[in-house]
């Protein structure tokens, strides 16, 4: 991107590439840690990752970046707003200013507090007892509060953290969004809960010994949706994830012992959605802060779109049932319509990662409300389990048997991942907006899905989402792609229509 | 190691650990590059590796290390010579002084010249024509000469480079050693060449479809010799290698399609020897320059010892033949004595990596002599193929059909790996010295090998070699372990005895 640009722009790119190389190296180490590392490597690997992150952070916050950005100010003003150069300068300025606001000392204290909280969380999970986690967690919350004060915010402390995972999205906007979702989804869940419970895809299991065939199936499904194995690969890890070492090297994982329909087909579609996004980032963004997704929520919109709007559709199962039948005997007698009902079984559950489309957002809203109260000092850390139980009853009508089924289930807080849960819900919301826009532009998409042809859909996502990398905020991106602001109505309409029909509501 | 030490020592360790973390991160990236990376990741990976190496080098050559070393001088003088602290300061001083002598500008020019030479080498191999490589190679040789002048040397330019791969070993000492080896091995090779040629282990192949069973066999052989899979793992790569991400995480590889006896049993024993060395480095050395082998040659002594002195012994094949028979039908009818003869088939060959124990050193001596002449300006790069052919005839009685069978066969020069070939021969020489010393201390070792019990041997190596990490120079280490200086006679005696009997000479 640097031809015919000011010298300062070339210098800026050079420094950003160095920082990016160090961050991508950390991604490789983290991937290996989860996929291949033997237990003996754990403690040194932790040190190596901490060093890479520290060196990258130190390099990124040195004043020369600020000086280069200042020198580029005048030039940048003359650039077209949506150009790669203008976006690069804007995004770099945003991240640089953020990073500079956090004192090195606070970075260190946060890092140590996270390690302690994580260890306590592991211990607390073994004991199934939140109290063991509460002390280190309270310390961590206090430091997160300190962090919000260092970063600064317009209205709420939550804004300070949210601005990192979802640039431009405010707590106030989230509250409005979540209020509307709760209003529609809580009664929808209650109505479904009154109907007889149906078996879901977790119960559809391949026979032992078919690991090799299932692995082939995962790879071929990925290939079908458009994943390019010359520019990425599939591995196994306990917690499925997707990462990116460069625009030409995107890695995703499924569970090592994933023999049920959920762990294979839906995990492949979910992580495959993330991976297709990463593979669609333009090569010219390589080495810059633009070489990633627009936000956690936009990334999640891609995984949700492939997992739910494609993968849980009637059309998909007309195409995929004959293939899935080869490996899952329980599907042998099913017609596509029955398979469609099976993969869309819904109902309240205690664990977020097991939740279906109808209940998922309620799990997120519960966490968002607790996070807000923690940061504002309205809820002491020790009282989280009580607040959890109360909200779980109100939104889903369930009560956790113990803390492992409750506030200890997610790793996020223990790792200091505050204000990241809302991205999941934003992903659901955005996925429906994109799906509607893609089908409006190409009404033939559902018919193509029925034939296992995903090219038109992927092409539309490439052009309207992937090609922009991190150039725009989530709202800007959604506007450009759909002509609308972030809006929960398409998702709610989709839910009511689909589950109204499925459960005869 | 830092309890009760001067403050400067703790600070030094801190910086060394940071440098080490960056270097180990590079090792992870390089391992992935060879084992798992898809083609699309290649160019970005090259950049990431270059950045990690540059950042690590910049950190290591900053003056604060020199200042800390100066401050520690007085304290270090009072330390016991063989203590970890004294060795750490000595080794760090040696590497720091070396690194500081090379101007950053030369580092960059060398790095660029290596990339060009490597690309030309790949092209030249396709054309099987050295001339295509000669130009970039000549440029690289000129820069290597410049490097030797920057580093300084006592007698020959070769000394400057050799001191890096084999600290304390001089060109003069190598010449004496190689002269003696040539004197005995050239006639030995000639005598064997006059005998009928026997089939070797490369021809013993497992049936297609047994990849899974062969993989299990490799893992179980590794386990048998003492490799700890909780602190390491085995993977596949086109060129087998061993690396180390930390004391608790040692990785080795075999060929992805290795279905012959050579690619499995002998590669596992060879890389396994390296890997056992790495797993034997004391955890207290973690993060310092002591957490590695004493030199390339000492590392090679471990791989050669397990591959040749153990793996090509009669005793080993009494233990291993029944196991190998399960996978290699050609072994079904053989008695152990016949298997022993099979795996020790010898004879001159053109390719170093295919060479047997008797001819191997001659391949190295040829390269050493050419490298010396190149650095001294006595041989223009373009004339390497002629010199190669002449020496090949003199030492092995063979003539390469083309340059691919000659001077283009090794990657070393194309990557700028000058003065590293002698380590292979030093490894052979040292392996015999260690083997003799271990058996002198524990005469029961051969009998134990016959039963598949390698514990006593490994225990002796752990104590006398592995436990020292990089504390000593190769000669110091050999002296401490065997009571003798580096000496070719034990290896020559071993060769004459073994092959005299095998070939009735």
């Amino acid at each position: 991107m640097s031809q015919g640009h000011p010298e300062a722009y070339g210098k800026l790119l050079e420094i950003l590439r160095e920082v990016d190389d160090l961050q991508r190296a950390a991604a490789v180490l983290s991937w290996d840690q989860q996929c291949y590392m033997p237990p003996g490597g754990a403690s040194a690997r932790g040190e190596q990752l901490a060093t890479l992150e520290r060196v990258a952070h130190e390099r990124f916050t040195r004043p020369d970046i600020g000086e280069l950005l200042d020198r580029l100010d005048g030039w940048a003003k003359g650039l077209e707003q949506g150009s790669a150069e203008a976006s690069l300068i804007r995004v770099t300025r945003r991240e640089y200013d953020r990073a500079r606001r956090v004192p090195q000392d606070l970075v260190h204290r946060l890092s140590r507090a996270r390690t302690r909280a994580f260890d306590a969380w592991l211990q607390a999970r073994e004991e199934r007892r939140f109290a063991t986690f509460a002390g280190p967690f309270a310390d961590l919350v206090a430091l997160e509060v300190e962090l919000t004060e260092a970063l600064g915010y317009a209205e709420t402390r939550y804004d300070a953290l949210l601005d990192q995972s979802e640039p431009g999205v405010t707590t106030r906007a989230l509250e409005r969004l979540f209020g509307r979702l709760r209003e529609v989804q809580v009664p929808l869940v209650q109505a479904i809960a009154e109907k007889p419970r149906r078996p879901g895809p977790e119960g559809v299991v391949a026979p032992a010994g078919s690991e090799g065939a299932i692995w082939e199936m995962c790879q071929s499904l990925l290939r079908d949706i458009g994943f390019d194995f010359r520019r990425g690969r599939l591995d196994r890890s306990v917690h499925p994830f997707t990462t990116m070492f460069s625009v030409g090297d995107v890695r995703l994982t499924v569970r090592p012992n994933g023999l049920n329909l959920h762990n294979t087909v839906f995990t492949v579609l979910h992580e495959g959605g993330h991976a297709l996004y990463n593979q669609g980032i333009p090569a010219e963004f390589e080495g810059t802060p633009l070489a990633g997704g627009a936000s956690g929520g936009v990334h999640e919109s891609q995984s949700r779109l492939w997992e739910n709007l494609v993968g849980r559709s009637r059309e998909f199962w007309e195409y995929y049932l004959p293939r899935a039948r080869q490996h899952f005997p329980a599907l042998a007698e099913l017609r596509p319509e029955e398979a469609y009902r099976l993969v869309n079984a819904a109902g309240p559950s205690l664990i977020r990662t097991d939740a279906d489309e109808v209940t998922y957002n309620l799990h997120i809203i519960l966490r968002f409300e607790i996070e807000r109260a923690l940061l504002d000092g309205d809820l002491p850390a020790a009282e989280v389990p009580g607040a959890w139980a109360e909200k779980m009853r109100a939104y889903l009508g369930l009560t956790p048997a113990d803390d492992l089924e409750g506030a200890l289930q997610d790793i996020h807080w223990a790792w200091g991942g505050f204000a990241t849960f809302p991205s999941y819900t934003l992903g659901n919301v955005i996925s429906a907006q994109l799906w509607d826009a893609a089908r409006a532009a190409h009404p033939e998409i559902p018919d193509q899905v029925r034939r296992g042809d995903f090219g038109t859909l992927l092409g539309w996502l490439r052009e309207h989402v992937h090609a922009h990398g991190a150039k725009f905020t989530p709202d800007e991106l959604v506007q450009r792609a759909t002509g609308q602001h972030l809006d929960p109505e398409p998702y709610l309409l989709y839910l009511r229509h689909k589950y109204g029909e499925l459960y005869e509501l």
Side-chain angles (χ1 to χ4, degrees), chain A:
Chain A
M1 293 189 286
S2 69
Q3 272 176 336
H5 295 78
E7 193 204 347
Y9 191 75
K11 283 200 178 149
L12 180 66
L13 283 185
E14 210 174 280
I15 300 172
L16 292 176
R17 284 196 181 118
E18 179 173 331
V19 174
D20 187 76
D21 284 341
L22 294 164
Q23 290 168 336
R24 302 294 182 183
V28 178
L29 266 65
S30 169
W31 167 87
D32 174 70
Q33 189 177 37
Q34 293 176 73
C35 293
Y36 292 110
M37 192 184 74
S43 73
R45 183 58 56 87
E47 295 296 322
Q48 291 156 1
L49 279 166
T51 295
L52 284 174
E53 281 152 23
R54 189 167 44 72
V55 173
H57 182 261
E58 277 172 15
R59 184 67 198 91
F60 186 61
T61 51
R62 257 189 257 163
D64 53 356
I65 294 190
E67 287 155 22
L68 290 168
L69 288 170
D70 290 345
R71 279 168 57 193
L72 288 165
D73 251 359
W75 178 68
K77 287 206 179 77
L79 294 169
E80 199 195 322
Q81 176 69 1
S83 69
E85 292 83 351
S87 299
L88 179 77
I89 290 172
R90 197 174 53 243
V91 170
T92 304
R93 169 65 79 183
R94 183 181 74 210
E95 296 192 3
Y96 175 75
D97 287 347
R98 256 191 94 82
R100 294 269 295 179
R101 259 179 255 139
V102 187
Q104 196 66 39
D105 165 63
L106 178 56
V107 173
H108 283 142
R109 283 185 295 139
L110 266 166
S111 159
R112 278 200 305 274
R114 279 170 191 154
T115 305
R116 274 198 304 272
F118 181 66
D119 290 344
W121 177 73
L122 289 176
Q123 182 64 32
R125 280 173 66 88
E126 281 199 14
E127 300 169 10
R128 308 176 84 94
R129 205 172 144 269
F130 191 86
T132 302
F133 175 54
F137 181 51
D139 296 343
L140 185 55
V141 169
L143 286 174
E144 295 282 343
V145 168
E146 203 178 323
L147 177 64
T148 64
E149 298 300 333
L151 288 168
Y153 47 84
E155 284 196 74
T156 67
R157 286 180 179 154
Y158 204 85
D159 281 334
L161 303 180
L162 185 62
D163 193 53
Q164 179 147 45
S165 38
E166 300 298 335
V169 178
T170 63
T171 310
R172 186 187 286 257
L174 268 193
E175 280 181 333
R176 219 165 27 232
L177 179 79
F178 286 0
R180 175 65 183 145
L181 294 174
R182 212 169 38 212
E183 185 178 28
V184 176
Q185 290 190 241
V186 171
L188 187 60
V189 171
Q190 284 165 351
I192 291 173
E194 285 162 19
K195 302 280 176 168
R197 186 94 189 206
R198 296 179 190 160
E202 294 80 3
V204 178
V205 177
S210 59
E211 287 81 4
I214 291 288
W215 186 248
E216 290 294 321
M217 186 192 88
C218 290
Q219 291 194 302
S220 108
L221 176 54
L222 268 177
R223 216 172 270 120
D224 285 356
I225 64 173
F227 184 78
D228 179 356
F229 277 92
R230 289 161 309 175
R231 303 197 300 126
R233 52 177 283 132
L234 176 68
D235 290 277
R236 297 173 177 90
S237 68
V238 175
H239 302 287
F241 68 102
T242 302
T243 184
M244 172 178 193
F245 304 156
S246 64
V247 166
D249 189 356
V250 172
R251 312 284 178 106
L252 70 163
T253 72
V254 293
R255 286 183 209 282
N257 305 312
L259 282 179
N260 76 34
L261 203 58
H262 184 81
N263 283 342
T264 53
V265 174
F266 294 105
T267 302
V268 163
L269 289 171
H270 182 99
E271 300 304 332
H274 285 303
L276 290 173
Y277 192 178
N278 288 341
Q279 286 198 333
I281 306 290
E284 62 180 303
F285 293 172
E286 187 88 281
T288 78
L290 301 186
S295 77
V298 178
H299 232 302
E300 208 63 23
S301 79
Q302 300 303 291
S303 56
R304 294 284 164 174
L305 189 148
W306 289 96
E307 179 189 358
N308 291 334
L309 296 156
V310 173
R312 288 190 160 90
S313 71
R314 280 196 169 86
E315 291 81 3
F316 181 83
W317 283 93
E318 286 187 35
Y319 140 70
Y320 204 67
L321 185 61
R323 293 166 190 239
R325 264 186 201 135
Q326 296 169 25
H327 308 290
F328 296 101
L331 300 175
E333 305 296 314
L334 294 191
R335 284 167 302 120
E337 179 63 22
E338 292 165 325
Y340 170 69
R341 287 172 173 267
L342 176 83
V343 302
N344 286 295
S349 62
L350 287 160
I351 306 295
R352 177 184 58 86
T353 54
D354 295 344
D356 54 68
E357 289 180 284
V358 187
T359 54
Y360 196 95
N361 289 337
L362 300 177
H363 289 269
I364 299 305
I365 293 170
L366 173 155
R367 286 155 176 79
F368 164 73
E369 291 171 347
I370 290 177
E371 282 184 335
R372 277 221 56 191
L374 283 165
L375 289 178
D376 286 345
D378 296 339
L379 177 70
E383 291 174 23
V384 165
W388 190 288
E390 189 186 308
K391 286 176 192 294
M392 191 49 95
R393 260 191 308 278
Y395 301 160
L396 289 160
L398 298 174
T399 307
D402 58 31
D403 292 332
L404 192 59
E405 286 188 355
L408 289 174
Q409 68 179 264
D410 297 306
I411 197 174
H412 302 57
W413 291 340
W415 263 4
F418 276 69
T420 60
F421 284 115
S423 299
Y424 297 111
T425 284
L426 288 171
N428 289 332
V429 164
I430 297 170
S431 72
Q433 290 187 270
L434 296 173
W435 179 241
D436 286 353
R439 284 181 310 161
H442 301 285
E444 69 277 20
I445 285 177
D447 264 344
Q448 291 178 337
V449 168
R450 186 176 284 126
R451 298 194 306 269
D453 171 3
F454 305 97
T456 304
L457 173 60
L458 179 58
W460 190 89
L461 293 170
R462 285 263 187 269
E463 182 185 342
H464 295 277
V465 180
H466 308 178
H468 298 309
K471 276 168 66 177
F472 304 117
T473 65
D475 190 60
E476 283 166 355
L477 185 95
V478 171
Q479 271 192 67
R480 282 177 180 259
T482 71
Q484 310 288 329
H485 284 283
L486 264 168
D487 178 6
E489 298 310 324
Y491 188 67
L492 292 173
L493 195 65
Y494 160 78
L495 283 187
R496 280 184 299 194
H497 179 81
K498 177 173 178 177
Y499 289 89
E501 190 217 49
L502 275 164
Y503 283 87
E504 293 159 20
L505 304 174

